[in-house]
Each structure stands twice: as structure tokens, then as C-alpha cells.
């Protein structure tokens, strides 16, 4: 598998990064994990606008899904080649309605489904193209799913947005790369079932025996270096902070 960080800023785009979006590729298949603010523009640095094969939306907060509205325009109003056929979009219950409301002026109530084939996420295991995936609901104020992606004996886990929870430990177990949010600062923010801090992300990776930890979803107002130091204090594997354009072979 090949993982490309399209955007990794938390809550809103930073001067250097779009919000959460990660491109996973294998066997010529392209799966996008989330499409937050600014991600659609950055995505075009890494693949063609119409080259995606499926999209996974961990949850419906704007910093993880709002650029789907722009992508709807690109697919629905395409003139060269005609309107795009529906592509699979996996998201929580109500994803189509949320995106239709956010766009606010679709030609009809069903226009989104003319270019997106919506599938409602639940906890469980299924296939997306060549990938075997497992999704579990994690600890966030809205319905949110972490995902475990397997291919060729390798495992990528993406936390989505979450607080500490058993489901995340299970998804990350033995992962070759654990892409984990670290929005909060240890000793500063302490709000359960919302976000992880660097130390909590590191502790989760250590419990799960993940082989590599990449911290992501760090908001512009948060010191990523401190979060990385906090993670390294409790996790003894290789670790780093996600940066836009970074590519990982898994």
C-alpha cells in the first residue's frame, strides 16, 4: 500500500496544510480517507480529479468532509466526458443529507446520489476494492469511525477523530502504520470522548504494538513538537508528525 498525506491540519486549515485527507493506493485502486477543508485542491497534486475509486468519510464535521461539496460540482457538472458515474462513498448515517444541506443549492434532493453511491458505515468488516477493511465506532461527539485497512499482509490504521477507547486499540493492533490524531496537549486540554493528546496517542500505539506512529490532525494553535515528544515518552517505536505531501510505503 502507498499512503500519501493530502492534508493533516486539525479543525481548520493551517497556512501549510489542508484539513484531514489521506490517499491510499494499491493495485491501481485509489481510496481517499476524508476530504476536509482545502483537500480537493491539494488532492490534484497527487492524482487526477477523476481518478479516485472510493471515498471513506470518518465523520461529518466540516474538517473531514466539506470539500465533498466542491467535488460534487466537479463530478456533476463535468462537460468533457459527461457527468461522472456514481462512485462509492462510505460515511455515517445521513451523509448524503448532510452534504446536500451543506451545498444548499443542488438541482434536486437526489443530485448528490447521481455522482456518489452512498454506503452507510456501521462497525464491521467488508471490502473496498482490493482492500479488506474493518471499521469501528470511536469516541467523538458525532458518529465517527476509525478504519483498519489491510492489503498484501500489511495494515494501515486511521483513527479518525476520537478520545481514548477500546475500539481504537483493536483497530490499531499490530498495525504497520498507525495514523493517529493528536489534537490536544497533555496537561492542558482534558475533555473525554473528544480528542487524543500526544501522550494518549503514543500510549495507544504502545498498547497496540503498532510498528510506526504518525501523528495527525494537529490544529494550527497546537505545538506539534510537544505532542510528538509526549508520544515518544510512552511509545518506543518510530514516530513522527504527518506533513502534507509525505508518502509512506506500507
Amino acid at each position: 500500500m502507498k499512503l500519501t498525506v493530502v492534508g493533516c491540519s486539525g479543525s481548520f486549515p493551517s497556512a501549510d496544510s489542508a484539513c484531514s485527507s489521506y490517499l491510499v493506493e494499491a493495485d491501481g485502486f485509489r481510496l481517499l480517507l476524508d476530504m476536509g477543508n482545502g483537500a480537493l485542491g491539494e488532492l490534484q497534486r497527487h492524482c487526477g480529479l477523476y481518478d479516485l475509486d472510493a471515498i471513506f468519510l470518518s465523520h461529518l464535521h466540516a474538517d473531514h468532509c466539506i470539500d465533498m461539496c466542491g467535488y460534487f460540482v466537479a463530478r456533476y457538472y463535468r462537460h468533457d466526458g459527461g457527468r461522472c458515474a456514481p462512485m462509492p462513498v462510505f460515511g455515517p448515517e445521513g451523509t448524503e443529507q448532510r452534504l446536500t444541506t451543506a451545498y444548499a443549492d443542488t438541482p434536486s434532493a437526489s443530485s448528490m446520489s447521481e455522482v456518489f453511491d452512498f454506503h452507510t458505515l456501521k462497525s464491521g468488516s467488508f471490502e473496498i476494492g482490493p482492500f479488506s477493511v474493518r471499521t469501528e465506532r470511536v469516541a467523538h461527539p458525532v458518529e465517527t469511525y476509525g478504519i483498519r485497512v489491510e492489503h498484501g499482509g500489511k495494515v494501515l490504521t486511521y483513527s479518525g477523530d476520537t478520545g481514548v477507547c477500546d475500539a481504537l486499540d483493536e483497530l490499531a493492533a499490530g498495525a504497520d502504520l498507525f495514523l493517529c490524531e493528536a489534537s490536544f496537549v497533555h496537561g492542558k486540554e482534558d475533555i473525554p470522548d473528544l480528542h487524543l493528546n500526544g501522550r494518549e496517542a503514543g500510549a495507544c500505539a504502545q498498547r497496540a504494538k503498532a510498528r510506526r506512529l504518525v501523528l495527525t490532525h494537529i490544529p494550527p494553535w497546537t505545538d506539534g513538537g510537544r505532542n510528538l515528544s509526549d508520544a515518544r515518552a510512552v511509545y518506543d517505536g518510530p514516530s513522527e508528525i504527518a506533513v502534507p505531501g509525505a508518502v509512506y510505503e506500507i
Side-chain angles (χ1 to χ4, degrees):
M1 288 185 286
K2 176 183 175 182
L3 168 67
T4 302
V5 177
V6 178
C8 51
S9 184
S11 299
F12 58 94
S14 71
D16 301 312
S17 178
C19 284
S20 289
S21 192
Y22 313 93
L23 181 63
V24 185
E25 301 174 76
D27 296 347
F29 191 95
R30 295 178 175 92
L31 169 64
L32 192 70
L33 308 180
D34 285 338
M35 191 184 280
N37 318 42
L40 182 58
E42 290 299 313
L43 177 65
Q44 294 171 71
R45 298 179 185 273
H46 307 292
C47 78
L49 192 59
Y50 303 108
D51 291 340
L52 291 178
D53 295 291
I55 297 173
F56 165 86
L57 299 177
S58 63
H59 65 295
L60 300 178
H61 281 156
D63 60 327
H64 292 259
C65 73
I66 200 62
D67 268 26
M68 289 290 292
C69 292
Y71 197 40
F72 164 76
V73 172
R75 295 182 67 82
Y76 190 89
Y77 294 104
R78 184 179 70 166
H79 293 288
D80 293 339
R83 184 174 298 164
C84 295
M87 68 174 296
V89 174
F90 299 84
E93 186 173 0
T95 294
E96 180 179 2
Q97 293 78 9
R98 177 64 63 87
L99 295 177
T100 300
T101 300
Y103 188 83
D105 193 27
T106 55
S108 74
S110 62
S111 294
M112 284 278 176
S113 62
E114 293 183 45
V115 292
F116 298 130
D117 179 18
F118 291 99
H119 299 259
T120 300
L121 284 173
K122 299 294 181 184
S123 295
S125 299
F126 52 99
E127 306 294 317
I128 302 178
F131 302 112
S132 298
V133 305
R134 176 184 171 189
T135 56
E136 294 290 346
R137 187 165 179 176
V138 292
H140 202 53
V142 300
E143 187 176 0
T144 304
Y145 292 88
I147 186 170
R148 179 183 177 95
V149 183
E150 299 189 38
H151 181 270
K154 299 297 183 179
V155 177
L156 162 68
T157 298
Y158 169 48
S159 67
D161 282 6
T162 183
V164 176
C165 61
D166 291 341
L168 184 61
D169 288 8
E170 294 169 8
L171 290 174
D176 294 281
L177 192 149
F178 182 22
L179 183 62
C180 186
E181 77 116 291
S183 306
F184 285 165
V185 176
H186 177 61
K188 180 182 177 184
E189 296 111 336
D190 184 17
I191 305 172
D193 299 335
L194 182 57
H195 288 298
L196 299 170
N197 59 46
R199 186 177 182 89
E200 289 168 337
C204 179
Q206 186 71 14
R207 289 192 301 271
K209 298 181 180 179
R211 294 178 176 85
R212 186 174 191 174
L213 173 64
V214 179
L215 299 182
T216 193
H217 197 272
I218 299 175
W221 53 53
T222 297
D223 180 355
R226 175 173 173 182
N227 282 14
L228 182 60
S229 294
D230 287 342
R232 287 174 172 172
V234 293
Y235 173 64
D236 56 16
S239 56
E240 61 202 88
I241 298 173
V243 295
V247 175
Y248 300 90
E249 298 290 341
I250 305 170

